[in-house]
């Protein structure tokens, strides 16, 4: 056990919310908007859901009410922030907490060029002290958990003399001393130059072993593993080593896996919802949003994976795409689509 781990066992743990982190769905740009999260909640009563990353500047200087709107049914739901200025992060975190979010998460894992140029995302792993300052500033103004999502390392490394785990351990130790007691660790390095975000999710090898070493060195902290997690059995296996497992694209393209996860790992007595019932509930939700002026097409895209792997799924997706694009499309499109798959 490292010196950091011994000291971190005495953290004051300023928290007023206790969250079940065994199963969560990753923050995903262009995917996990409020409509997607509402759908996912219909499939899992307890999975911790995350917003898309929203920059602190957009919240502080933009239309925070529109950006942060969500349905109460989405709880528990966490707000992921992108930013590096401690004062601005604190201001945005306060707005998010006041809006009702259950957690504030700081993005230190996204490797895109756009994020890097804004001095947030994975490049912040090279500035652990700045991340710590941001965490401390946010914790000073909110009473909900402030967490960090990171990679196991970055390339090029700002500390090439260190091996991969030493760099990760020092980053976690520095940020934890500022009061962060929960880390979501994507078990891949982030390649900061030359790879697209999609390639960064696929090309750097998964190193669950490196992420797992953190659990031994920092037993007082909570670690959730992310990256390549797709099946019930994979989550079950990860829960032997980590406090939680976070699904990404799989939860979007095959959302019914969340229902299987809840029944298998959280509540065996819980009955799986029928896909048809989920469609009907989501149609009711979509109808309410359309009445507020929103477009069906922006909501229907999230449900296209509900019948993944089942017969007629291509016809189901095609029907939804074509019909939701019609100018007068309403929520009845979802109900009509059921005749293709039922």
């Amino acid at each position: 056990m490292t010196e950091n781990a011994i000291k971190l066992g005495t953290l004051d743990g300023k928290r007023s919310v206790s969250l079940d982190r065994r199963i969560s769905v990753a923050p995903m740009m262009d995917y996990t908007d409020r409509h997607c999260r509402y759908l996912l909640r219909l499939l899992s009563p307890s999975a911790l859901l995350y917003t898309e990353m929203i920059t602190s500047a957009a919240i502080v200087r933009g239309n925070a009410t529109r950006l942060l709107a969500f349905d109460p049914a989405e709880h528990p739901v966490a707000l992921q922030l992108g930013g590096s200025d401690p004062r601005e992060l604190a201001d945005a975190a306060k707005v998010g907490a006041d809006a009702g979010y259950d957690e504030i998460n700081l993005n230190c894992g996204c490797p895109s060029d756009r994020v890097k140029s804004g001095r947030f995302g994975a490049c912040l792993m090279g500035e652990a002290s700045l991340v710590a300052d941001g965490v401390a500033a946010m914790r000073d103004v909110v009473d909900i958990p402030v967490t960090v999502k990171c990679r196991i390392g970055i390339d090029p490394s700002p500390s090439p003399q260190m091996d991969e785990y030493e760099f990760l351990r020092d980053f976690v130790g520095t940020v934890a001393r500022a009061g962060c007691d929960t880390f979501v660790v994507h078990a891949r390095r982030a390649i900061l130059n030359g790879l697209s975000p999609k390639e960064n999710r696929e090309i750097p090898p998964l190193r669950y072993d490196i992420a797992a070493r953190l659990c031994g060195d920092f037993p007082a902290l909570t670690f959730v593993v992310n990256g390549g997690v797709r099946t019930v059995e994979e989550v079950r296996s990860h829960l032997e080593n980590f406090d939680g497992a976070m699904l990404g694209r799989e939860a979007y393209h095959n959302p019914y896996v969340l229902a299987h996860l809840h029944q298998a790992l959280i509540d065996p007595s819980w009955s799986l919802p029928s896909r048809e019932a989920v469609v009907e509930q989501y149609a009711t939700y979509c109808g309410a949003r359309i009445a507020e002026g929103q477009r069906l097409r922006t909501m229907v895209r999230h449900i296209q994976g509900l019948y993944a792997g089942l017969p007629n799924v291509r016809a189901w997706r095609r029907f939804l795409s074509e019909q939701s694009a019609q100018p007068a499309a309403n929520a009845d499109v979802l109900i009509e689509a059921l005749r293709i798959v039922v």
Side-chain angles (χ1 to χ4, degrees):
M1 183 181 295
T2 67
E3 182 180 356
N4 278 344
I6 296 172
K7 290 180 178 178
L8 292 171
T10 63
L11 284 173
D12 66 323
K14 175 189 175 185
R15 295 293 182 268
S16 62
V17 177
S18 177
L19 298 174
D20 185 342
R21 301 184 182 279
R22 286 175 290 176
I23 299 169
S24 57
V25 178
M28 292 178 280
M29 294 297 293
D30 300 321
Y31 289 96
T32 53
D33 63 17
R34 61 178 298 194
H35 311 307
C36 174
R37 299 192 305 267
Y38 186 92
L39 172 66
L40 299 182
R41 180 59 68 223
L42 294 176
L43 293 160
S44 174
S46 65
L48 177 56
L49 306 178
Y50 284 75
T51 68
E52 303 171 90
M53 183 193 71
I54 304 175
T55 66
S56 55
I59 293 173
V60 173
R61 305 172 200 168
N63 187 342
T65 300
R66 179 183 61 82
L67 289 170
L68 299 181
F70 70 97
D71 192 287
E74 296 173 39
H75 289 293
V77 58
L79 168 63
Q80 188 185 63
L81 294 178
S84 58
D85 178 78
R87 178 175 296 179
E88 188 174 75
L89 285 170
D91 290 343
K94 182 67 165 60
V95 174
D98 289 346
Y101 283 91
D102 300 301
E103 172 190 318
I104 304 296
N105 177 266
L106 180 60
N107 184 334
C108 295
C110 182
S112 78
D113 289 339
R114 181 173 65 85
V115 167
K116 184 175 67 172
S117 65
R119 202 186 179 197
F120 52 91
C123 64
L124 282 179
M125 290 193 71
E127 298 185 74
S129 295
L130 180 61
V131 174
D133 289 343
V135 165
M138 289 187 284
R139 291 185 80 249
D140 282 345
V141 298
V142 302
D143 289 322
I144 57 175
V146 175
T147 67
V148 165
K149 188 173 189 292
C150 64
R151 294 281 184 129
I152 58 171
I154 54 177
D155 186 359
S157 172
S159 304
Q161 74 280 7
M162 290 184 175
D163 69 27
E164 197 161 33
Y165 180 68
E166 288 176 327
F167 175 79
L168 175 62
R169 182 195 62 203
D170 284 6
F171 173 82
V172 168
T174 298
V175 177
R177 282 193 294 274
C180 180
D181 62 8
T182 299
F183 293 81
V184 180
V185 183
H186 186 145
R188 289 184 173 95
R189 284 182 302 139
I191 309 301
L192 299 182
N193 301 309
L195 293 185
S196 70
K198 182 178 185 296
E199 291 169 331
N200 256 300
R201 295 192 300 270
E202 299 170 352
I203 293 177
L206 284 163
R207 293 294 306 274
Y208 297 126
D209 58 313
I210 291 177
R213 289 175 66 181
L214 293 169
C215 302
D217 280 347
F218 301 96
L221 303 183
T222 295
F223 292 101
V224 176
V225 69
N226 172 229
V229 183
R230 295 184 175 87
T231 69
V232 171
E233 288 312 310
E234 287 172 351
V235 173
R236 192 192 308 274
S237 176
H238 283 309
L239 290 179
E240 295 177 4
N241 299 307
F242 298 94
D243 299 292
M246 175 179 278
L247 284 78
R249 293 316 191 265
E250 184 68 16
Y252 187 84
H253 296 300
N254 178 26
Y256 204 74
V257 70
L258 293 176
H260 287 299
L261 282 166
H262 186 81
Q263 185 186 67
L265 302 176
I266 306 299
D267 184 2
S269 67
W270 182 70
S271 296
L272 292 171
S274 72
R275 288 176 173 83
E276 293 73 35
V278 171
V279 172
E280 291 169 358
Q281 290 175 280
Y282 193 57
T284 300
Y285 168 84
C286 290
R289 301 291 79 75
I290 290 170
E292 296 171 350
Q294 301 196 40
R295 296 180 60 196
L296 180 65
R297 191 170 191 176
T298 63
M299 296 178 277
V300 160
R301 66 189 182 96
H302 299 307
I303 203 170
Q304 293 195 3
L306 184 62
Y307 286 87
L310 297 179
N312 301 322
V313 66
R314 287 186 179 178
W316 148 268
R317 289 170 175 163
R318 183 169 59 251
F319 181 87
L320 288 176
S321 294
E322 293 174 353
Q323 296 304 310
S324 66
Q326 300 302 313
N330 60 39
D332 291 342
V333 168
L334 285 159
I335 305 303
E336 294 166 7
L338 285 174
R339 61 180 170 79
I340 299 171
V341 288
V342 174

